């Protein structure tokens, strides 16, 4: 058993990290205005432009520098897709203002199993969002401060820990902390694109340092299928720009009212900004002839040791070329805000994942602990679960963005596609009910939008699955069904328990009598206290029970017992095999079998010690014994604690002083008239 | 709470490893004849000759090959010391036939604190015996099979695990398993010495392959203090030959009667064999001009890659030179038996440590769990503790004998010295009582023997402390006081608890009434069962208690409660901070404060689930709640288990079928006439 000491220490650390508990009444205050919601929910899709262009270039470079001509076409495809998805999700937000996003939509329209698939995909995505964003943020930090290259994994895991701590403090505070960097990031990237454009128009286009680098492994002359596959691979990677779009639709309940309208507007604003930034960065990268490779060692002409020196990210190369080198203040501003916003983008997931988990727990698909808000009104268990898994992934993949991206995109498009199909069904149903012509037209338009969305995202899903499967997407193909099966098992368990727990008339029958047993090892205070307590419950029969480990000790106890003149008999069980659990449990079991209508109450004296290490010195067999006694029907186990000198007083165990007056005890028992007393409610 | 499933799985694995439980009555059978006791208790001192000579040579080589001329003088010193210690310990065995060895002697004669110092030293020694012997055994194995060089740490830890498993099965079986290798080792080493002697006399002395190797780092020209220090360092290392001598004196109770005489004779036999072997090996190493160095890379002329190829041990070099190369069957026999006996030497500690720990636990210096025999009649907890610490040391020191040796010798000589001083005091006391002249002379002789022993071992203790301190012995200088402080804390705790637990007349006062509280979350079967059980105990007052997390849920429950027509009132506590522990505990505390003469009994419904993962889905707050309720005086906590469908039946939880008939319940309560019933005893 953990000691009160350790519980108190843990609670103190928690208080230091997250602050004092917050009253239920403060919940309203944590709702988000549009101005705060944009950075919180949109930092993910906005920040993903920082690595989307780079991902496209890296894939095309695999074929050879000659294939970089495909870049604008791929970018165009991504922009079209992004527009379609944003427009589609506006419909979702309006149709489902209660939140739950894709999961809600799909469950509603395509059934529970499809809903679980979406839920599993979304959970995987949230985890990947944290891992990819943090890893990419650290990459941009390392571009500016190359000496940190060796500490990438530590930095990434540290970022995840800080994010978890901030989110455990509660959602509103995190919104404030994250607003400024997001806005600075958007402004500085747009400024960079503008300056680059002006210089280009003025005849002095920026030129990246890597424009002169070649790439070692050039496979020129791809044609036919190979060319198409390369283009599709590049497109799949570019689709990372779309990740996070669904976060807003999952988070509608966190918006200030009118929730749906505010969420839809935030979504549109986010879409427009994201498209502008992605298109601008890609265009600028073409102009400046940025060259990148998955492995620095593949870059011919790269100055420095490829095994040690980090490669500059695309954003860093652009910033350096536009603003005149890697030592200009503007370069540092761009890198700092990019790094910060990427790390904060992970915050999108820290908002979305716990809320989704809570909804899933309400639907009995995940353990109950994920359902409720912690004492800071945040969904603490969900936040901790997300941070743990993302941290492990970052360690496992050594914080490598390229490798993590393969796992990322598949889940995103699974939920996009199923959600759009669900919306089409939704509108079909609406159409059957609506008769007003004007509204019918609106619904029909909406249906077309979502149908186009479903077709496009479905197509992309297939492309991603084919082009990324061996690169790591197969892990997602395994993880999603495993999660679905787990949810099904949890759901089935809760359902069967609920069915079992329905009160039967049988349950009200009073057992006839209580047969009490007090476990003793010696005639000492705890034993006498347990005997006294047991006698106070006035059982029909009462015996002290002792297990004989050493026959000589028994003789001594028998003599002492006779002298002590105790008013109850002593039963001694022999235990030649030194496992005291079994004789006791079998004795109690036999007692039950012989008197099936009587209850057995087992009284166990327990020591309450002053310090954790003393716990090792006592109560060794109690746990094993209780574990077995719990299996017997009609048996209660009563712990009679004995507080040793120095055991903490109750008041010493609370971190906070009592927040409200101690509640008052209820009225005396009245067997005839049921009474309901509500104490301290609504205060 | 661990589930019954995991407990069952652990028990099954345990049964497979250690066999079925053994009846207390079998204990007599585990006593040892001299023939079995010699290999068990003497494998440590005998096997240490396998590395003692090597340790001396390595130290002298640090000064340069020229200083090998010191070897015979150092060996002579070690032999004299070994004889003195053996003779001294014969006195100990005779004077203290009840076992406990040095610890018993020192506590008896020099007091508790000195006893604790010896106990701590001995515990450190036992751990080091396991680590050093196993590491040296693996070194000899690697000498014969060099391809295993890279797996030394894994092999060492594996050996410790096997030893632990064998010892958990019980002491007699391990004696049998270990007798043959020890005798083969002694015979084959003596044969090697004999063959070497015959060849030398015949004019064809064996020549070691390393006789032609030089040593890179030669510091010739040491004189004065430096020379003395080198010789003393070599002597300190050679003293490893003495380790383990005290094991027999600790293990006297394991001998067949007459225990003391048998133990003394075994000690003498062991001493004679050890001296013969150590002297023989050292002489042979001089004849064959064996050259060794702490690091293979220091050997000039060594054939092979010093970073990868293991160096042959001294025993291996002698066997190769005497029996004609490293491919002769005799070479393999020597290496195999040496490796085996070294690994088995660790077994000495697996016999000694748990027995010492048991004695210390009986004296309340260590936790009670170490006191009793496990279900195989071995001291299982002591065995597990020893194996764990030794395994960690082997991993920490990468199974390097040279480094481990530094930690080893200090503790050994601490206990030797204190024990001999204690014996001198013992004889002084005897002398005061004895008046018969013949006996007086005997006692005076014994006193002289132990005084010489004390002086010599004390001198060596100082030498070891000075020459080995920086090499690692300082760790022992830290560990021993830490252990002593821990023992003192344990002892003080048990003593204060014992004083506290003395029954007072107050303890017999019966509390006036019981005030019961049933915790409920809904009107379901477990709640109704708990209410029914609580009512069966007929408390003076009874209320159901519910914590409101969500006011809407409360309203629903209040309505259902009214409809259910339950005969007890419902009290609802508000909980705006979502920690349900505090409102409940403070309610119960207030109930106690208001009615100080009444007990409070808190009934908690608990779910018993079918599978371990379902435990995650239930009973989340129960543990924290119990932890706090235990701190309140006059409060009992009663668990009312509710077995969900699929929860295991009691019979499914035992690995073995019931071994004896189920014991019978005791007679009914008789308030007037105390009764004592002993069931199933002595069967």
């Amino acid at each position: 058993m953990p000691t009160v000491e350790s519980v108190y220490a843990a609670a103190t650390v928690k208080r230091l990290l997250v602050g004092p508990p917050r009253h239920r009444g403060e919940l309203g205050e944590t709702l988000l205005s549009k101005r705060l919601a944009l950075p919180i929910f949109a930092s993910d899709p906005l920040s993903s432009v920082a690595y989307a262009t780079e991902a496209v270039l890296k894939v095309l470079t695999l074929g050879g520098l000659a294939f970089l001509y495909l870049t604008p076409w791929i970018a165009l495809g991504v922009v079209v897709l992004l527009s379609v998805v944003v427009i589609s999700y506006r419909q979702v937000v309006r149709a489902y203002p209660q939140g739950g996003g894709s999961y809600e939509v799909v469950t509603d329209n395509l059934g529970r199993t499809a809903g679980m698939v979406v839920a599993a995909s979304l959970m995987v995505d949230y985890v990947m969002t944290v891992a990819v964003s943090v890893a990419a943020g650290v990459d941009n930090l390392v571009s500016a401060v190359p000496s940190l290259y060796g500490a990438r994994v530590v930095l990434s895991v540290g970022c995840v820990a800080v994010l978890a701590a901030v989110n455990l403090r509660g959602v509103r505070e995190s919104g404030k902390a994250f607003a400024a960097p997001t806005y600075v990031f958007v402004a500085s990237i747009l400024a960079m694109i503008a300056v680059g454009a002006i210089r280009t128009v003025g005849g002095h286009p920026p030129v990246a340092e890597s424009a002169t680098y070649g790439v070692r492994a050039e496979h020129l002359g791809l044609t036919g299928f190979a060319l198409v596959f390369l283009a599709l691979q590049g497109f799949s990677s570019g689709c990372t720009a779309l990740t996070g779009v669904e976060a807003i639709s999952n988070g509608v309940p966190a918006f200030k009212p009118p929730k749906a309208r505010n969420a839809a507007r935030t979504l549109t604003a986010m879409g427009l900004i994201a498209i502008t930034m992605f298109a601008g960065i890609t265009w600028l990268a073409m102009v400046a002839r940025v060259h990148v490779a998955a492995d620095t060692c593949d870059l011919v002409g790269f100055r420095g040791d490829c095994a040690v020196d980090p490669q500059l990210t695309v954003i860093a190369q652009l910033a350096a070329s536009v603003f005149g080198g890697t030592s200009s203040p503007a370069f540092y501003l761009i890198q700092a805000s990019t790094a910060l916003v990427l790390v904060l983008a992970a915050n999108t997931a820290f908002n979305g994942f716990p809320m989704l988990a809570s909804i899933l727990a309400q639907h009995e698909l995940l353990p109950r602990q994920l359902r409720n808000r912690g004492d800071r009104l945040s969904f603490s268990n969900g936040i901790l679960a997300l941070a743990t898994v993302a941290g492990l992934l970052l360690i496992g993949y050594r914080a490598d963005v390229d490798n993590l991206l393969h796992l990322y995109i598949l889940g995103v498009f699974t939920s996009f596609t199923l959600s759009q199909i669900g919306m089409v069904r939704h509108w079909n149903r609406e159409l059957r009910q609506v008769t007003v012509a004007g509204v019918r037209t609106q619904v029909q338009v909406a249906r077309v939008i979502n149908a186009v969305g479903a077709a496009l995202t479905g197509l992309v899903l297939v492309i991603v699955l084919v082009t990324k499967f061996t690169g790591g997407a197969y892990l997602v193909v395994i993880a999603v069904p495993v999660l679905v099966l787990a949810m099904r098992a949890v759901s089935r368990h809760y359902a069967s328990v609920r069915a079992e727990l329905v009160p039967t008339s049988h349950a009200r029958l009073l057992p006839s009598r209580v047969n009490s047993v007090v476990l003793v090892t010696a005639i000492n205070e705890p034993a006498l206290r347990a005997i006294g307590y047991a006698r106070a419950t006035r059982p029909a029969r009462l015996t002290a029970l002792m297990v004989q480990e050493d026959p000589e000790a028994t003789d001594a106890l028998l003599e002492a017992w006779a002298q002590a003149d105790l008013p109850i008999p002593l039963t001694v069980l022999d235990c030649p095999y030194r496992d005291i659990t079994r004789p006791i449990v079998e004795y109690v079991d036999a007692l039950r079998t012989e008197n099936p209508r009587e209850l057995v109450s087992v009284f166990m004296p327990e020591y309450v010690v002053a310090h954790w290490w003393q716990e090792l010195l006592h109560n060794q067999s109690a746990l094993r014994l209780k574990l077995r006694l719990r299996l017997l029907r009609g048996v209660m186990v009563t712990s009679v604690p004995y507080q040793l000198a120095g055991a903490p007083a109750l008041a010493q165990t609370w971190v906070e002083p009592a927040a409200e007056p101690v509640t008052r005890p209820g009225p005396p028992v009245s067997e005839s008239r049921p009474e309901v007393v509500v104490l301290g409610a609504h205060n």
Side-chain angles (χ1 to χ4, degrees), chain A:
Chain A
M1 192 172 227
T3 58
V4 167
E5 238 176 2
S6 61
V7 171
Y8 182 80
T12 308
V13 171
K14 179 182 164 191
R15 279 292 156 262
L16 286 174
L17 285 176
V18 308
R22 295 170 72 176
H23 194 281
R24 183 168 51 217
E26 293 179 53
L27 192 54
E29 296 177 30
T30 61
L31 294 180
L32 300 169
S33 67
K34 284 200 293 292
R35 221 161 23 115
L36 279 178
L38 184 68
I40 287 184
F41 287 115
S43 57
D44 175 14
L46 293 185
S47 66
S48 60
V49 302
Y51 49 81
T53 302
E54 184 164 334
V56 175
L57 295 181
K58 278 185 181 167
V59 169
L60 293 181
T61 306
L62 283 180
L65 293 178
F67 293 100
L68 291 183
Y69 77 87
L70 292 169
T71 312
W73 301 105
I74 288 175
L76 184 64
V78 170
V79 166
V80 169
L81 194 63
L82 182 53
S83 317
V84 170
V85 169
V86 166
I87 295 169
S88 302
Y89 266 98
R90 280 179 55 96
Q91 315 271 11
V92 175
V93 168
R94 284 173 186 281
Y96 289 88
Q98 71 275 39
S102 309
Y103 165 68
E104 201 88 338
V105 172
V106 172
T107 307
D108 226 37
N109 296 297
L110 303 177
R112 248 170 100 77
T113 306
M116 283 193 256
V117 172
V118 168
S121 308
L122 284 173
M123 283 195 284
V124 171
D125 290 348
Y126 281 127
V127 170
M128 297 312 305
T129 301
V130 174
V132 168
S133 302
V134 166
V138 170
D139 272 358
N140 273 287
L141 175 67
V142 169
S143 289
V145 192
S147 59
L148 293 176
Y149 185 70
R152 278 168 310 157
V153 177
V154 173
L155 285 172
S156 305
V157 174
C159 285
V160 171
V162 170
L163 283 172
V166 171
N167 276 280
L168 287 170
R169 290 188 73 94
V171 75
R172 199 173 65 114
E173 281 159 6
S174 39
K176 273 187 192 159
F178 298 163
T182 307
Y183 284 122
V184 171
F185 167 71
V186 171
S188 61
I189 293 287
L190 291 180
M192 179 178 81
I193 295 168
V195 172
I198 291 167
R199 283 185 51 175
T200 308
V201 170
H204 300 285
V207 178
E209 194 192 346
S210 63
T212 58
Y213 295 173
V215 172
R216 232 175 276 280
E218 304 206 8
H219 308 284
L220 296 171
L222 292 180
T223 50
F225 178 74
L227 180 62
V228 172
F229 194 80
L230 183 72
L232 291 180
Q233 263 195 312
F235 175 70
S236 291
S237 292
C239 287
T240 49
L242 274 79
T243 55
V245 170
E246 80 293 348
I248 290 180
S249 69
N250 293 318
V252 182
F255 279 83
K256 279 193 179 157
K259 291 169 188 269
R261 216 177 78 184
N262 283 336
R265 287 189 178 180
T266 308
L267 194 54
T268 309
M270 184 274 291
L272 290 175
I273 298 173
I275 288 172
T276 311
M277 289 168 76
F278 175 69
I281 288 174
T282 309
W283 169 78
L284 206 55
M286 297 293 296
V287 168
R289 284 182 292 131
V290 169
H291 288 177
V292 287
D295 187 342
T296 314
C297 301
D298 289 340
L299 286 176
V300 179
F302 176 69
R303 301 175 208 161
D305 180 357
C306 65
V308 176
D309 277 1
Q311 188 180 0
L312 293 185
T313 61
V314 167
I315 293 282
Q317 295 196 29
L318 291 180
S321 64
V322 169
F323 295 116
T326 56
S327 53
S328 66
F331 171 79
Y332 281 105
L333 178 68
I334 296 261
Q335 285 318 105
S337 68
T338 305
L340 198 53
V341 88
L342 276 164
V343 170
L344 300 183
N347 196 56
T348 311
F350 275 102
N351 275 278
F353 180 92
M355 214 178 280
L356 174 66
S358 168
I359 294 170
L360 293 174
Q362 276 168 41
H363 294 184
E364 300 194 331
L365 295 172
L366 288 181
R368 240 169 242 168
Q369 297 95 294
L370 293 165
R371 188 177 55 189
N372 295 333
R373 292 175 188 274
D375 58 13
R376 287 288 292 180
L377 293 169
S378 60
F379 295 104
S380 3
N381 291 324
I383 290 169
L384 292 173
L386 175 64
T388 307
V389 181
L392 292 176
L393 266 178
L394 281 168
I395 294 169
Y397 281 84
R398 324 236 89 248
D400 182 336
V401 176
D402 289 337
N403 282 332
L404 287 167
L405 274 182
H406 295 303
L407 281 74
Y408 195 8
I409 315 165
L410 187 60
V412 177
F413 278 89
T414 305
S415 63
F416 280 168
T417 309
L418 283 173
S419 147
Q420 299 312 316
I421 295 175
M423 285 305 291
V424 172
R425 271 219 170 164
H426 173 79
W427 300 127
N428 279 341
R429 254 203 326 248
E430 292 274 297
L431 272 186
R432 260 174 256 134
Q433 292 163 4
V434 174
T435 47
V436 186
V439 180
R440 277 189 74 87
T441 315
Q442 276 183 5
V443 170
Q444 276 163 339
V445 170
R447 185 170 64 168
V448 170
I449 291 172
N450 288 125
V452 171
L456 266 184
T457 53
L459 182 65
V460 175
L461 176 62
V462 174
I463 292 172
V464 169
L465 188 61
V466 170
T467 58
K468 299 279 181 190
F469 190 81
T470 52
Y474 72 94
L475 284 174
V476 178
V477 176
I478 295 167
V480 169
V482 167
L483 279 171
V484 168
L485 288 178
M487 284 191 258
R488 196 185 286 274
V490 169
S491 162
R492 212 175 280 156
H493 174 75
Y494 278 133
S496 85
V497 167
R498 209 179 31 250
E500 249 185 273
L501 299 190
V502 172
T504 58
S505 57
H506 182 75
R508 301 209 178 191
L509 293 177
L510 271 190
S512 67
R513 307 198 302 172
V514 180
N515 215 326
S516 291
V517 172
V518 183
L519 303 182
V520 298
T521 53
I523 301 180
N524 54 26
E525 281 279 300
L528 293 180
R529 180 183 285 189
I531 291 170
Y533 284 16
R535 288 179 64 202
T537 66
R538 306 197 191 287
R541 292 189 289 176
L542 175 61
T543 182
L545 189 64
M546 186 214 167
V547 176
Q548 157 173 296
E549 287 185 271
D550 168 13
E552 285 170 37
T554 307
D555 293 341
L557 182 67
L558 288 178
E559 200 168 316
W561 194 270
Q563 284 177 1
D565 193 28
L566 288 163
I568 66 168
L570 172 66
T571 307
V572 179
L573 303 176
D574 192 28
C575 171
Y577 295 100
R578 290 159 308 286
D579 169 20
I580 67 156
T581 312
R582 189 156 184 176
I584 295 174
V585 176
E586 287 181 341
Y587 175 84
V588 172
D589 192 29
L591 218 54
R592 273 288 298 160
T593 313
E594 292 194 2
N595 315 287
R597 295 197 51 234
E598 295 178 12
L599 294 177
V600 178
S601 182
V602 180
F603 287 81
M604 296 175 62
E606 262 177 41
Y607 292 90
V608 181
V609 296
H611 300 293
W612 63 267
W613 59 269
Q614 294 168 346
E615 190 74 33
L616 291 173
L617 309 175
H618 299 284
N619 304 330
Q620 290 310 318
S621 338
L623 186 65
R624 266 184 303 168
L625 189 56
K626 282 186 191 169
L627 212 58
R628 275 346 196 294
L629 286 174
R630 274 156 47 107
L631 303 178
L632 300 177
R633 276 155 212 265
V635 173
M636 308 179 257
V637 179
T638 303
S639 307
V640 181
Y642 186 85
Q643 295 82 10
L644 291 172
L650 179 63
Q652 296 175 330
T653 70
W654 306 119
V655 177
E656 284 93 20
E660 27 193 344
V662 170
T663 49
R664 316 287 299 172
V669 167
S670 120
E671 289 271 336
S672 52
R673 190 172 51 87
E675 255 185 272
V676 170
V677 185
V678 182
L679 293 174
H682 311 295
N683 64 343

